[in-house]
């Protein structure tokens, strides 16, 4: 178990969420410093804590219009026993956050302006998800494909 800092300015152990995710081991704790991260976070190692400081922003770059890229997400949790806390997720060309793993805690996150849904837990095709807790999160301006497409299809909220 180790503690790491992710800092977009390069002043931490990792400059990107992708590099940190590739290095993650069970029991690790990652603190994400304030800054704008124009990438996705893949939480794919079990038992890892991802905690964002105030001002840490994941920006997917979608600024409206019918050019969303589908069902992809800015944060995807695919490993059990993880915690994701304090992230601001904005302008997702797909979904904001997807949880496909049991025993997950999502806390104090803010999701705004998603082309598709703000949050999805389980995808209906994989195993059942249990003990997924969403606490003190805010979701706003989600499923904007309802607004931007002339005849939206397969649109959902959260």
């Amino acid at each position: 178990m180790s503690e790491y800092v992710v800092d977009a300015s390069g002043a931490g152990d990792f400059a990107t969420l992708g590099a940190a995710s590739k290095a993650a081991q069970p029991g690790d704790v990652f603190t994400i410093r304030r800054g704008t991260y124009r990438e996705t976070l893949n939480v794919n190692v079990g038992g890892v804590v991802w905690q964002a400081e105030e001002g840490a922003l994941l920006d997917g770059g979608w600024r409206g219009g019918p050019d969303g890229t589908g069902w992809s997400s800015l944060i995807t949790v695919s490993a059990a026993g993880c915690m994701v806390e304090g992230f601001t997720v904005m302008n997702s060309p797909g979904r904001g956050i997807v949880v496909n793993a049991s025993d997950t805690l999502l806390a104090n996150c803010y999701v705004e302006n998603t082309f598709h849904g703000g949050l999805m837990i389980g995808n209906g095709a994989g195993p059942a998800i249990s003990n997924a807790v969403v606490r003190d999160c805010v979701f706003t301006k989600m499923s904007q494909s309802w607004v931007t497409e002339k005849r939206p299809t397969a649109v959902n909220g959260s």
Side-chain angles (χ1 to χ4, degrees):
M1 177 177 122
S2 298
E3 294 188 18
Y4 298 102
V5 171
V6 180
D7 190 321
S9 73
D13 300 299
F14 301 96
T16 67
L17 297 168
S21 179
K22 287 178 184 174
Q25 297 294 314
D28 285 350
V29 175
F30 291 87
T31 300
I32 292 65
R33 294 256 169 91
R34 68 180 307 119
T36 300
Y37 299 83
R38 299 186 193 286
E39 59 181 312
T40 60
L41 172 59
N42 292 309
V43 179
N44 53 14
V45 174
V48 175
V49 173
W50 295 89
Q51 55 192 19
E53 293 180 347
E54 186 174 342
L57 167 66
L58 271 71
D59 188 339
W62 183 70
R63 300 291 189 255
D67 297 326
T69 60
W71 304 100
S72 61
S73 64
L74 291 183
I75 297 178
T76 302
V77 180
S78 59
C82 293
M83 181 175 85
V84 175
E85 181 175 24
F87 283 88
T88 297
V89 176
M90 297 183 76
N91 308 316
S92 177
R95 289 190 164 97
I97 301 173
V98 172
V99 176
N100 282 324
S102 295
D103 302 316
T104 299
L105 173 61
L106 179 65
N108 303 309
C109 292
Y110 178 83
V111 178
E112 180 178 316
N113 199 36
T114 64
F115 185 72
H116 284 296
L119 171 68
M120 183 176 79
I121 297 179
N123 62 13
I129 306 299
S130 63
N131 197 31
V133 177
V134 179
R135 183 177 64 218
D136 298 324
C137 294
V138 174
F139 299 88
T140 186
K141 292 177 67 179
M142 58 193 148
S143 296
Q144 293 297 301
S145 54
W146 278 110
V147 177
T148 60
E149 293 180 347
K150 290 182 181 177
R151 292 188 179 144
T153 59
V155 178
N156 68 355
S158 286

